[in-house]
Amino acid sequence: MTEQIRKPADYKSAIKPIWCPGCGDYGVLSAITKAFAKLRLEPENTAVVSGIGCAARIPAYINAYGFHGLHGRALPIATGLKLARPDLTVLAMGGDGDMYSIGGNHFMHACRRNVDITLLVMDNRIYGMTKGQPSPTTEPDFPTHLYPDGTHLQPLNALAIALVAGANFVARTFSGDPNGLAEDIAMAINHPGFSVIEILSPCVTFRPEQRDWKHQVQRNVLTPAASVAEALQVVTTGPELATGVIWKGDRPPYEGPGEKAGIALDRLLEGFAA
Amino acid sequence: MSQTSLNSVSFAISGSGGAGVMTAGEILLMAAAKAGYYGLQTRSVGPQIRGGEAASLMRLATFPVHVHADAFHILFAVDWLNFDRFSGEIDLAEGAIVITGKDSGELPEKVAQTASDVIRLPLHDLLKETKGRVNMLAAGIIGRLTGLPEDALADAIARRFASKGNALVEISTATMRTGYAQGEKLLNHEQRLAPPEPRNGERWIINGNEAAGLGALTAGVKFAAAYPITPATEILEWLSPALTGAGGMLIQAEDELASINMIIGASFGGAPALTATSGPGLALMAEGLGLAAAAEIPVTVIDVQRGGPSTGIPTKSEQTDLDIALCGMHGEAPHLVLAATSVADCIRTTAWAVHLSERLQAPAIMLSDQMMGQMKTIMPRPDLPDLKAERETVASCGEEDYARYALTNSGVSPMALPGTPGCMYTADGLEHDERAIPSTRVEDHAAQLKKRWRKLADFDYGNAWADISGEGPLAVITWGSTAGAVEEASREAEEAGIRVRTIVLRLLSPPQKAKLEAALEGVETLLILENSFSGQFARYLRSFFTLPENVRTFHHPGPRPVTAREVLEAIREAAS
Ligand SMILES: Cc1ncc(C[n+]2csc(CCOP(=O)(O)OP(=O)(O)O)c2C)c(N)n1
Ligand code: SF4
Ligand SMILES: [Mg+2]
């Protein structure tokens, strides 16, 4: 096939997003289409898999193959798809609840497994879709209907987990900077193995104060660390709202058990002969 | 007193950790197959992970057997440590002999009461010369008493230990021969098998789990993801290298939620995909099965049932996941439920499950159970089924919008795989319209629900939905591994002059109402048999079918399977 020059708009589907006006996820959608255009991805050879939540509605808005699955289960679906179809470019997406709470186990194991998938987590530190319950990243004193006095729980440091669990590319970005975000997404897609991009993406409805992130975020101040230990330093002691690429690893991606593990059918059948 | 020869002999070999009773059983099974007999082997183990006491439960016969007999003719107990753990599964037949060590201690009460003869042998002394192991001695003694040729035993030992070196083969063979010679002295206790029919064609020794794996492989499964669980793990262990060898792969997932969703992802990408689990795993997969139903992604789940609920009795059988398999989904999620009827049938029914699932773009659950899954059985080498994963897919999409969930006549909609130009769509568990766009409209929900229902309900499943034999006003109906006991009991009933119609269901959902009701025509009494406490199968039959007026049920929970004797008694009662 001859290579087509595609514009970001070519990667938008005709479906209108259900998001609230001003939701950070619009910026993510825009950045994704820019990144796809930059990489000239063929829509038919690209698959976008998500779970459930406001953020997870995104596949339908993208012109590519999509899978809008179950709350928390985007990563296993993406993993099965990528292993069975290594020819596809596979991305997984969802919110902080989707990926870090109900899908937390898959998140950890996807990092460890290191299949060549790019994960985008739209972190708004709240459950948007179910109207404002605390998520694993919600600040301990943030009041909700469920916990009027806050959760008193320490927020989860998901990027630290990603680093120690073996993710091969780790970045924090901001939806209010679609161009910077597009660069990072393109870089993550090109990086072999499992890539995690945490996107600060405001929920203007249940966390209106996050509108201020556009003044607070320190854009693109982070650079890839020299070691996982150094990268850990950055995500554990550095400023929370600083963005940039934090880690680029060189672990080879996992593609399956490998041919050597195979046994031919004839030999297996011989094993039954009595 | 030497006895007349038998068409079926049962024996148990038990012992504490390291005695190798399972290996002894395998050797005897291999030798029996070589000599032209049929037979089966199951193992009973205590709760310990490894080592610990175990019993090899065996049945050899001149005809194909699918279940244990009711009682054992020979019990060879290396020792009696924790014997009570399996004594409930080892009832001794009239005239049964017990062979044990001279100094192995007192017999358990139940054994002492029922054994007609106890033979105490100086096991240690007998092993002095060859320095072999007691299990090979047992194989030799039992081999002699049941009338297996010594050569067949030696051949089995050579094959079984081939990879472990000559020295072991030699010691083991010599020890077996010591046992065989010892058996010679016990011939007044002989439990000799009648001569076998001449063996025509190849025989296999295979268990239901391997058979299910083979069925999946022959149907063209290319991707499996699963989380280890007893008693399904052997399927995974067999399939993993097999799939790799066939250009596919098996992935050990982090849990069953991942297993089911990984296979959904792989299948969305076009790879026929499967997982295997047991009850607790099936429960965890329920949400994923709902997704596969809604998004119309073919996947097959093999459930090797075990005692439940919760962790239950992981190593023992029961037919109690029927309720959850049929009705355990959230919302209304039409799906296929099939059940293998024997070890051999695990091949065909698994292949059929994969075939139907792919054909109808729906999830399929294939029910097996611990008994069938882990029972090693001698059978004629089966023909591999010609049931393949044949999914119809769209080659390309034109100008007009592609409708992934179009309301077609058959209810099966055109499926495009990623990579197909022009057909990009988002598969969705959210209710959607024909073009896969999420919708909360009454009309879309009704139309899509009906379509998903119709494609399964209206499909012609042919004759394989059940195995039916015999005729007359008394019918016996069952499913799964209980079919083995029913088959044997029905044969005995016929021999006793009681006519029985037997029906073994293979396709449980969608229920084949018209077909079953036709099969029940003229039936006055229907006897329903199953291995469950509450009668799940009877409840299923009552809710989906119009049954004859006179319905009787017989069921009890595992870990004891329903036996042929129990079935025969129930038949006699129903016939009287
Ligand atoms: C099994 C299951 N449990 C609960 C829900 C309800 N639910 C839907 S979205 C969601 C939280 C979403 O939060 P997040 O992932 O942060 O996404 P956001 O809406 O904030 O973008 C919950 C709890 C569900 N759909 N499925
Ligand atoms: S609720 Fe919050 S996260 Fe959801 S669409 Fe509205 S602004 Fe965005
Ligand atoms: Mg959120």
Side-chain angles (χ1 to χ4, degrees), chain B residues 235-372:
Chain B
I235 299 182
L236 319 180
E237 290 178 342
W238 190 87
L239 256 183
S240 179
L243 279 175
T244 303
M249 71 177 77
L250 180 142
I251 296 297
Q252 179 171 324
E254 54 269 30
D255 55 33
E256 286 86 350
L257 307 164
S259 314
I260 184 77
N261 285 286
M262 281 184 186
I263 66 171
I264 289 172
S267 179
F268 170 70
L274 168 143
T275 185
T277 187
S278 189
L282 181 64
L284 287 178
M285 290 179 190
E287 191 196 22
L289 285 163
L291 171 63
E296 305 196 51
I297 310 287
V299 288
T300 301
V301 178
I302 301 175
D303 172 21
V304 187
Q305 300 166 91
R306 66 189 213 182
S310 186
T311 311
I313 313 182
T315 53
K316 304 283 164 91
S317 208
E318 207 167 68
Q319 294 182 292
T320 43
D321 290 344
L322 185 62
D323 277 349
I324 183 180
L326 289 167
C327 306
M329 293 319 99
H330 57 291
E332 290 182 291
H335 60 286
L336 298 149
V337 181
L338 297 91
T341 62
S342 68
V343 171
D345 190 62
C346 284
I347 305 174
R348 173 164 292 272
T349 298
T350 305
W352 197 32
V354 172
H355 169 81
L356 289 175
S357 162
E358 288 280 322
R359 177 81 212 272
L360 299 171
Q361 297 178 16
I365 299 174
M366 197 312 267
L367 293 168
S368 162
D369 59 38
Q370 183 274 336
M371 177 160 115
M372 164 146 87

Side-chain angles (χ1 to χ4, degrees), chain B residues 530-551:
Chain B
E530 63 188 295
N531 197 193
S532 86
F533 171 76
S534 69
Q536 297 188 9
F537 184 54
R539 261 199 322 271
Y540 154 79
L541 290 173
R542 285 194 165 107
S543 53
F544 287 104
F545 305 94
T546 306
L547 302 180
E549 219 163 277
N550 188 9
V551 171

Side-chain angles (χ1 to χ4, degrees), chain A residues 44-45 57 59 63-68 73 76-77 80-81 85 105-106 109 113 255 258 261-263 265 268 272 274, chain B residues 199 203-205 217 238 241-242 244 249 252 254-255 261-262 265 268-269 417-420 423 425-430:
Chain A
E44 65 266 29
N45 291 320
R57 296 296 288 241
N63 178 28
Y65 279 91
F67 204 128
H68 182 222
R73 316 296 164 214
I77 290 186
L81 178 60
R85 289 290 307 274
N105 194 32
H106 306 312
H109 286 277
R113 203 175 270 119
E255 292 168 349
I263 303 180
L265 182 61
L268 288 162
F272 297 134
Chain B
R199 183 178 140 166
R203 297 265 160 96
W204 274 12
I205 294 178
L217 195 71
W238 190 87
T244 303
M249 71 177 77
Q252 179 171 324
E254 54 269 30
D255 55 33
N261 285 286
M262 281 184 186
F268 170 70
L417 302 180
T420 317
C423 312
Y425 78 102
T426 294
D428 212 317
L430 275 179

